Amino acid sequence: AREEEVRKKFRPIEQLKEEFEKLNMKMETDYEIMVKLISKFNSSASTLDEKVAALYDLEYYVHQVDNAKDFLSMGGLQLVIEGLNSSEATLKEHAAFVLGAALSSNPKVQIEAIEGGALQKLLVILATEQPLAVRKKALFALSSMLRHFPYAQQQFLKLGGLQVLRSLFWQKGMETLHVRVVTLLYDLIMEKMLLEDSQHGEQMEEKIQQYQQVRLVPAVLEQGWCSLVPNLLAMPEHDTREKVLKLVGVLMAFCREHYRGDPALGTALSLLRSEYEELAAEEQREGDKDGYFRELLGSINTIIQEL
């Protein structure tokens, strides 16, 4: 009776195998799907909505390193780079999104993208009048291109990339980009510092030589980022303040004299210390001894001590 009951509830294994085989026959590989999506994006018969949908789906696939390499071999990368020139803002936005996803932690794609002119096109988007959504995705793609790629960082500085990012701080409505710029600068400076402090093998020495040609910190100092970055401590979001404090801490070795002569920075740090002392105490009362606010308070105290 028990066996009969089980048989009624579940299908036989032979039937399941047969159904799975049929399913597998219909399943497309990632490669095949990307070919179709690229074709859809590139087709003159496709509507704007269809092209955007194709880019949206492509972004999902090119996150994977192997898929991004296939995307490159199919000619998809160059098509997306050309899409950055589109007169349609939504196409430009999604093209930058796909580009950023393909570039992430993928040196082969990074090299091809910079040789294909992607860096110049991204800087043009950030430097010209564009919707915020387009600039967000362009900054995402730029960040993906620059991280762990010293040659791209060098070209970025040569093309005036730091000035382009700095100009965003004087434009209304760009506040949400400020924290992304701060995070990118922090990551690039730390990347170089950590590499120089690491164990030196033959391959590492070559990498260090590449980074030595990237004059990022001198450019940051020349262009007045020492005074620009602390101004962002006035922003109300804890996450923004955290990232700004990290960058101020890293720049301390180079900007200390400027910081000491900036009374507004001293006032801002004092106000933040009072605020986070209260928040950290509240955390502790709730039983969280190593909480988020305590960590922020520690960053503030460290900067005050160093000043």
Side-chain angles (χ1 to χ4, degrees), residues 275-288 293-294 297:
E275 181 181 342
Y276 285 114
E277 277 174 346
E278 287 181 27
L279 290 169
E282 191 178 326
E283 265 182 341
Q284 201 160 10
R285 284 193 296 272
E286 291 171 358
D288 192 352
F293 296 125
R294 183 181 173 84
L297 179 60

Side-chain angles (χ1 to χ4, degrees), residues 116-173:
L119 179 59
Q120 292 92 326
K121 292 185 194 321
L122 291 170
L123 289 176
V124 166
I125 289 173
L126 288 167
T128 54
E129 195 69 34
Q130 302 287 342
L132 179 60
V134 176
R135 280 172 156 176
K136 273 184 180 177
K137 293 300 188 293
L139 186 55
F140 162 64
L142 177 68
S143 301
S144 298
M145 176 177 279
L146 297 182
R147 284 187 170 93
H148 308 292
F149 190 12
Y151 175 72
Q153 294 173 23
Q154 198 179 352
Q155 295 307 306
F156 167 76
L157 293 175
K158 280 183 181 176
L159 292 168
L162 264 185
Q163 290 98 316
V164 171
L165 295 186
R166 197 174 187 276
S167 71
L168 296 174
F169 285 77
W170 311 119
Q171 296 173 36
K172 288 183 178 179

Side-chain angles (χ1 to χ4, degrees), residues 209-225:
Q209 285 175 11
Q210 291 173 4
Y211 272 101
Q212 282 171 346
Q213 294 173 42
V214 180
R215 308 286 293 160
L216 178 61
V217 171
V220 165
L221 301 182
E222 284 166 18
Q223 293 177 32
W225 287 84

